[in-house]
Amino acid sequence: MNSRRRALGVLLPSALCLSALARASDALAQDWPARPLRMIVPFPAGSSPDLIARLLTEQLAAALGQPVVVENHPGAGGNIGTGMVARATPDGYTLLFTINGPLVTAPTLWRNLNYDPVRQLAPVTLVATSPNVLVVDARLPVRTLQEFVALAKSKPGTLNYGSVGNGSAAHLAMEQLKAMAGIDLQHVPYAGFPQVTTAIVGGQVQAGFMVPAIAMPLVQAGKLRMLAVTTTGRSALLPSVPTVVESGYPGFEAISWQAVLAPAGTPAPIVDRLYRELVAIIGREDVREKMRAQYFAPAGTAPASLRQTMASEKLRWDKVIRAAHVQPE
């Protein structure tokens, strides 16, 4: 009997604490939102994540009845702003709008990463996806991926490619292609895509992967040539461009995606409300058209689906990182 009482004495306070926390969480969710929210974008103003985030927050503010303020906190490939949200109070007033890198590849690339995206962030929804495109200097004597690979094989180690840094999506996509095609290209990292495109047009590097929103103006101006897209099947956004897969490399895929997350521990009713409101916004035709204009395909998946995407993408890119011995700058 005494042992039973002692056991109850240990269990009862714990149960009471959990019950109190649940009641506090429910009360917070019922009053939410009572003040403005902030959406942290860990990339500069004017970047693709920033533009899509601002498109959504304008609509989200109207749906919630409170302002949603975009704050740009760039640096370390998105890790600085992402870490801010991971450590923020989980009360529904701080959200994260980011791309795949800080969620998927950063934990493998950075030994001293100050956040854990799986443990410290709660998925809300996958917002949109975009293919990457392989572009080359339009003066290069190639018009297909096969011709580019043949040129690279004829001049091993002499062609350069640009990216926005070690471990970036553009870097890893090319490392994946190098391994599959058996070619030797030299990597030249830059601070951002404007510098990459300037380098290609200026002849300092010959190729690079990038999102279509950045590449298309220069493709249309005749300064870059687009050789392939990185989706497994042809992209509805660029239906006339062949895929890397159909160019001879089965299984190749390297898409960019954008998502909304909250700090782990954010009350489930708040996460659910955010998910429902955002999916409704993403479903609006005017919003979808604006996304497509930037070469992003609207998504709007459930939180569990986003978590699964994060897990599967991490497994795939971990293999590329380790095989290519990629290290952060």
Side-chain angles (χ1 to χ4, degrees):
M1 180 63 73
N2 287 338
S3 62
R4 184 166 178 266
R5 284 176 180 167
R6 284 196 298 272
L8 286 173
V10 171
L11 294 173
L12 197 54
S14 299
L16 289 172
C17 288
L18 290 173
S19 177
L21 286 172
R23 288 197 301 272
S25 178
D26 289 344
L28 175 64
Q30 287 172 7
D31 294 336
W32 180 90
R35 63 178 192 269
L37 289 71
R38 60 178 188 156
M39 180 82 78
I40 304 298
V41 178
F43 298 96
S47 62
S48 291
D50 176 73
L51 295 175
I52 299 294
R54 291 180 189 276
L55 173 63
L56 293 185
T57 52
E58 180 181 348
Q59 308 291 335
L60 184 60
L64 297 177
Q66 289 286 349
V68 183
V69 181
V70 173
E71 294 183 11
N72 300 95
H73 293 276
N79 296 348
I80 291 175
T82 303
M84 288 177 60
V85 178
R87 296 185 296 274
T89 303
D91 55 8
Y93 291 98
T94 302
L95 305 175
L96 172 68
F97 190 99
T98 190
I99 61 173
N100 28 332
L103 304 176
V104 171
T105 57
T108 303
L109 286 167
W110 298 84
R111 292 182 181 177
N112 298 317
L113 194 69
N114 62 2
Y115 66 90
D116 182 334
V118 174
R119 189 172 54 85
Q120 292 180 276
L121 291 170
V124 177
T125 188
L126 180 70
V127 171
T129 64
S130 173
N132 287 288
V133 293
L134 174 62
V135 296
V136 297
D137 183 344
R139 294 164 296 190
L140 210 63
V142 299
R143 294 192 171 274
T144 65
L145 176 55
Q146 293 96 326
E147 289 177 354
F148 176 72
V149 169
L151 179 65
K153 287 184 174 180
S154 72
K155 300 180 177 182
T158 61
L159 296 182
N160 301 324
Y161 75 93
S163 85
V164 292
N166 288 339
S168 65
H171 179 205
L172 296 180
M174 190 65 85
E175 289 300 322
Q176 183 180 198
L177 178 62
K178 283 172 57 181
M180 295 179 78
I183 54 178
D184 180 14
L185 308 175
Q186 298 303 309
H187 178 219
V188 184
Y190 292 91
F193 277 119
Q195 291 86 350
V196 176
T197 55
T198 297
I200 297 176
V201 171
Q204 286 80 43
V205 300
Q206 287 70 51
F209 279 103
M210 58 189 66
V211 292
I214 294 168
M216 286 306 293
L218 289 168
V219 171
Q220 292 163 349
K223 295 182 177 181
L224 297 180
R225 181 173 296 127
M226 191 158 41
L227 301 184
V229 296
T230 59
T231 44
T232 53
R234 290 220 178 186
S235 170
L237 302 168
L238 295 163
S240 65
V241 183
T243 66
V244 175
V245 170
E246 68 185 274
S247 300
Y249 304 98
F252 186 99
E253 183 181 24
I255 62 171
S256 295
W257 45 267
Q258 301 181 342
V260 174
L261 301 95
T266 300
I270 292 178
V271 172
D272 183 62
R273 171 88 184 277
L274 285 166
Y275 159 67
R276 287 185 286 107
E277 298 290 4
L278 286 167
V279 167
I281 292 166
I282 294 166
R284 290 181 49 170
E285 192 54 37
D286 61 327
V287 173
R288 298 173 75 84
E289 283 301 315
K290 289 175 181 177
M291 286 187 181
R292 293 188 193 108
Q294 296 183 47
Y295 299 94
F296 277 90
T301 63
S305 179
L306 173 54
R307 186 174 294 282
Q308 184 177 10
T309 296
M310 289 168 59
S312 61
E313 284 273 281
K314 185 178 188 308
L315 284 173
R316 191 162 62 83
W317 288 112
D318 276 359
K319 294 177 182 178
V320 175
I321 291 167
R322 292 190 174 111
H325 306 290
V326 176
Q327 297 292 329
E329 295 166 333

PDB file of all heavy atoms in Angstrom, residues 78-97:
ATOM      1  N   GLY A  78      20.958  30.974 -44.551  1.00  0.00           N
ATOM      2  CA  GLY A  78      19.620  30.868 -43.978  1.00  0.00           C
ATOM      3  C   GLY A  78      19.602  30.345 -42.557  1.00  0.00           C
ATOM      4  O   GLY A  78      18.555  30.325 -41.908  1.00  0.00           O
ATOM      5  N   ASN A  79      20.770  29.953 -42.046  1.00  0.00           N
ATOM      6  CA  ASN A  79      20.822  29.333 -40.716  1.00  0.00           C
ATOM      7  C   ASN A  79      20.552  30.331 -39.589  1.00  0.00           C
ATOM      8  O   ASN A  79      20.005  29.950 -38.545  1.00  0.00           O
ATOM      9  CB  ASN A  79      22.184  28.679 -40.492  1.00  0.00           C
ATOM     10  CG  ASN A  79      22.440  27.530 -41.447  1.00  0.00           C
ATOM     11  OD1 ASN A  79      21.542  27.067 -42.126  1.00  0.00           O
ATOM     12  ND2 ASN A  79      23.680  27.092 -41.513  1.00  0.00           N
ATOM     13  N   ILE A  80      20.926  31.592 -39.789  1.00  0.00           N
ATOM     14  CA  ILE A  80      20.764  32.571 -38.712  1.00  0.00           C
ATOM     15  C   ILE A  80      19.282  32.806 -38.413  1.00  0.00           C
ATOM     16  O   ILE A  80      18.826  32.687 -37.264  1.00  0.00           O
ATOM     17  CB  ILE A  80      21.468  33.896 -39.070  1.00  0.00           C
ATOM     18  CG1 ILE A  80      22.987  33.688 -39.061  1.00  0.00           C
ATOM     19  CG2 ILE A  80      21.069  35.007 -38.086  1.00  0.00           C
ATOM     20  CD1 ILE A  80      23.783  34.901 -39.515  1.00  0.00           C
ATOM     21  N   GLY A  81      18.519  33.139 -39.435  1.00  0.00           N
ATOM     22  CA  GLY A  81      17.089  33.382 -39.231  1.00  0.00           C
ATOM     23  C   GLY A  81      16.335  32.138 -38.813  1.00  0.00           C
ATOM     24  O   GLY A  81      15.414  32.200 -37.990  1.00  0.00           O
ATOM     25  N   THR A  82      16.729  30.994 -39.355  1.00  0.00           N
ATOM     26  CA  THR A  82      16.074  29.742 -38.986  1.00  0.00           C
ATOM     27  C   THR A  82      16.297  29.433 -37.510  1.00  0.00           C
ATOM     28  O   THR A  82      15.381  29.018 -36.792  1.00  0.00           O
ATOM     29  CB  THR A  82      16.590  28.586 -39.861  1.00  0.00           C
ATOM     30  OG1 THR A  82      16.365  28.904 -41.239  1.00  0.00           O
ATOM     31  CG2 THR A  82      15.898  27.286 -39.523  1.00  0.00           C
ATOM     32  N   GLY A  83      17.531  29.651 -37.039  1.00  0.00           N
ATOM     33  CA  GLY A  83      17.829  29.433 -35.627  1.00  0.00           C
ATOM     34  C   GLY A  83      17.044  30.361 -34.716  1.00  0.00           C
ATOM     35  O   GLY A  83      16.638  29.970 -33.610  1.00  0.00           O
ATOM     36  N   MET A  84      16.803  31.587 -35.166  1.00  0.00           N
ATOM     37  CA  MET A  84      16.009  32.534 -34.380  1.00  0.00           C
ATOM     38  C   MET A  84      14.617  31.977 -34.101  1.00  0.00           C
ATOM     39  O   MET A  84      14.099  32.049 -32.987  1.00  0.00           O
ATOM     40  CB  MET A  84      15.886  33.870 -35.116  1.00  0.00           C
ATOM     41  CG  MET A  84      17.153  34.698 -35.154  1.00  0.00           C
ATOM     42  SD  MET A  84      16.921  36.205 -36.134  1.00  0.00           S
ATOM     43  CE  MET A  84      15.592  37.000 -35.225  1.00  0.00           C
ATOM     44  N   VAL A  85      14.003  31.422 -35.145  1.00  0.00           N
ATOM     45  CA  VAL A  85      12.647  30.879 -34.979  1.00  0.00           C
ATOM     46  C   VAL A  85      12.677  29.612 -34.135  1.00  0.00           C
ATOM     47  O   VAL A  85      11.805  29.385 -33.290  1.00  0.00           O
ATOM     48  CB  VAL A  85      11.995  30.613 -36.349  1.00  0.00           C
ATOM     49  CG1 VAL A  85      10.602  30.011 -36.175  1.00  0.00           C
ATOM     50  CG2 VAL A  85      11.917  31.906 -37.152  1.00  0.00           C
ATOM     51  N   ALA A  86      13.681  28.772 -34.346  1.00  0.00           N
ATOM     52  CA  ALA A  86      13.789  27.528 -33.568  1.00  0.00           C
ATOM     53  C   ALA A  86      13.858  27.809 -32.072  1.00  0.00           C
ATOM     54  O   ALA A  86      13.365  27.018 -31.262  1.00  0.00           O
ATOM     55  CB  ALA A  86      15.015  26.734 -34.018  1.00  0.00           C
ATOM     56  N   ARG A  87      14.434  28.948 -31.698  1.00  0.00           N
ATOM     57  CA  ARG A  87      14.593  29.283 -30.284  1.00  0.00           C
ATOM     58  C   ARG A  87      13.524  30.262 -29.783  1.00  0.00           C
ATOM     59  O   ARG A  87      13.557  30.661 -28.621  1.00  0.00           O
ATOM     60  CB  ARG A  87      15.984  29.882 -30.045  1.00  0.00           C
ATOM     61  CG  ARG A  87      17.128  28.902 -30.328  1.00  0.00           C
ATOM     62  CD  ARG A  87      18.481  29.498 -29.970  1.00  0.00           C
ATOM     63  NE  ARG A  87      18.796  30.666 -30.793  1.00  0.00           N
ATOM     64  CZ  ARG A  87      19.371  30.601 -31.989  1.00  0.00           C
ATOM     65  NH1 ARG A  87      19.680  29.419 -32.513  1.00  0.00           N
ATOM     66  NH2 ARG A  87      19.639  31.694 -32.663  1.00  0.00           N
ATOM     67  N   ALA A  88      12.593  30.638 -30.637  1.00  0.00           N
ATOM     68  CA  ALA A  88      11.569  31.615 -30.255  1.00  0.00           C
ATOM     69  C   ALA A  88      10.508  30.983 -29.355  1.00  0.00           C
ATOM     70  O   ALA A  88      10.327  29.754 -29.328  1.00  0.00           O
ATOM     71  CB  ALA A  88      10.910  32.191 -31.505  1.00  0.00           C
ATOM     72  N   THR A  89       9.800  31.824 -28.627  1.00  0.00           N
ATOM     73  CA  THR A  89       8.693  31.354 -27.784  1.00  0.00           C
ATOM     74  C   THR A  89       7.618  30.727 -28.656  1.00  0.00           C
ATOM     75  O   THR A  89       7.169  31.331 -29.641  1.00  0.00           O
ATOM     76  CB  THR A  89       8.085  32.532 -27.004  1.00  0.00           C
ATOM     77  OG1 THR A  89       9.121  33.145 -26.231  1.00  0.00           O
ATOM     78  CG2 THR A  89       6.967  32.065 -26.089  1.00  0.00           C
ATOM     79  N   PRO A  90       7.182  29.510 -28.351  1.00  0.00           N
ATOM     80  CA  PRO A  90       6.191  28.813 -29.194  1.00  0.00           C
ATOM     81  C   PRO A  90       4.754  29.259 -28.907  1.00  0.00           C
ATOM     82  O   PRO A  90       3.928  28.475 -28.462  1.00  0.00           O
ATOM     83  CB  PRO A  90       6.417  27.346 -28.836  1.00  0.00           C
ATOM     84  CG  PRO A  90       6.855  27.381 -27.418  1.00  0.00           C
ATOM     85  CD  PRO A  90       7.681  28.632 -27.269  1.00  0.00           C
ATOM     86  N   ASP A  91       4.471  30.534 -29.175  1.00  0.00           N
ATOM     87  CA  ASP A  91       3.153  31.073 -28.866  1.00  0.00           C
ATOM     88  C   ASP A  91       2.341  31.432 -30.102  1.00  0.00           C
ATOM     89  O   ASP A  91       1.267  32.024 -30.001  1.00  0.00           O
ATOM     90  CB  ASP A  91       3.289  32.305 -27.955  1.00  0.00           C
ATOM     91  CG  ASP A  91       4.207  33.373 -28.563  1.00  0.00           C
ATOM     92  OD1 ASP A  91       4.601  33.226 -29.743  1.00  0.00           O
ATOM     93  OD2 ASP A  91       4.525  34.341 -27.843  1.00  0.00           O
ATOM     94  N   GLY A  92       2.858  31.088 -31.293  1.00  0.00           N
ATOM     95  CA  GLY A  92       2.120  31.365 -32.517  1.00  0.00           C
ATOM     96  C   GLY A  92       2.364  32.733 -33.103  1.00  0.00           C
ATOM     97  O   GLY A  92       1.773  33.080 -34.133  1.00  0.00           O
ATOM     98  N   TYR A  93       3.244  33.526 -32.481  1.00  0.00           N
ATOM     99  CA  TYR A  93       3.482  34.880 -32.965  1.00  0.00           C
ATOM    100  C   TYR A  93       4.786  35.028 -33.747  1.00  0.00           C
ATOM    101  O   TYR A  93       5.070  36.099 -34.274  1.00  0.00           O
ATOM    102  CB  TYR A  93       3.450  35.871 -31.792  1.00  0.00           C
ATOM    103  CG  TYR A  93       2.065  36.016 -31.226  1.00  0.00           C
ATOM    104  CD1 TYR A  93       1.685  35.301 -30.088  1.00  0.00           C
ATOM    105  CD2 TYR A  93       1.117  36.817 -31.843  1.00  0.00           C
ATOM    106  CE1 TYR A  93       0.395  35.406 -29.572  1.00  0.00           C
ATOM    107  CE2 TYR A  93      -0.171  36.932 -31.340  1.00  0.00           C
ATOM    108  CZ  TYR A  93      -0.525  36.224 -30.208  1.00  0.00           C
ATOM    109  OH  TYR A  93      -1.805  36.318 -29.715  1.00  0.00           O
ATOM    110  N   THR A  94       5.576  33.962 -33.825  1.00  0.00           N
ATOM    111  CA  THR A  94       6.793  33.958 -34.636  1.00  0.00           C
ATOM    112  C   THR A  94       6.745  32.764 -35.573  1.00  0.00           C
ATOM    113  O   THR A  94       6.604  31.619 -35.127  1.00  0.00           O
ATOM    114  CB  THR A  94       8.058  33.865 -33.765  1.00  0.00           C
ATOM    115  OG1 THR A  94       8.085  34.962 -32.850  1.00  0.00           O
ATOM    116  CG2 THR A  94       9.306  33.910 -34.632  1.00  0.00           C
ATOM    117  N   LEU A  95       6.839  33.036 -36.868  1.00  0.00           N
ATOM    118  CA  LEU A  95       6.784  31.994 -37.893  1.00  0.00           C
ATOM    119  C   LEU A  95       8.035  32.072 -38.761  1.00  0.00           C
ATOM    120  O   LEU A  95       8.737  33.083 -38.780  1.00  0.00           O
ATOM    121  CB  LEU A  95       5.537  32.163 -38.765  1.00  0.00           C
ATOM    122  CG  LEU A  95       4.191  32.201 -38.034  1.00  0.00           C
ATOM    123  CD1 LEU A  95       3.069  32.503 -39.023  1.00  0.00           C
ATOM    124  CD2 LEU A  95       3.933  30.893 -37.311  1.00  0.00           C
ATOM    125  N   LEU A  96       8.289  30.996 -39.482  1.00  0.00           N
ATOM    126  CA  LEU A  96       9.451  30.908 -40.361  1.00  0.00           C
ATOM    127  C   LEU A  96       8.994  30.625 -41.778  1.00  0.00           C
ATOM    128  O   LEU A  96       8.162  29.744 -42.010  1.00  0.00           O
ATOM    129  CB  LEU A  96      10.376  29.777 -39.892  1.00  0.00           C
ATOM    130  CG  LEU A  96      11.565  29.413 -40.800  1.00  0.00           C
ATOM    131  CD1 LEU A  96      12.579  30.549 -40.829  1.00  0.00           C
ATOM    132  CD2 LEU A  96      12.222  28.116 -40.324  1.00  0.00           C
ATOM    133  N   PHE A  97       9.533  31.393 -42.727  1.00  0.00           N
ATOM    134  CA  PHE A  97       9.326  31.091 -44.145  1.00  0.00           C
ATOM    135  C   PHE A  97      10.711  30.854 -44.739  1.00  0.00           C
ATOM    136  O   PHE A  97      11.522  31.766 -44.827  1.00  0.00           O
ATOM    137  CB  PHE A  97       8.635  32.242 -44.865  1.00  0.00           C
ATOM    138  CG  PHE A  97       8.198  31.872 -46.260  1.00  0.00           C
ATOM    139  CD1 PHE A  97       6.878  31.511 -46.495  1.00  0.00           C
ATOM    140  CD2 PHE A  97       9.082  31.842 -47.319  1.00  0.00           C
ATOM    141  CE1 PHE A  97       6.465  31.135 -47.773  1.00  0.00           C
ATOM    142  CE2 PHE A  97       8.687  31.466 -48.585  1.00  0.00           C
ATOM    143  CZ  PHE A  97       7.364  31.122 -48.814  1.00  0.00           C
TER     144      PHE A  97
END
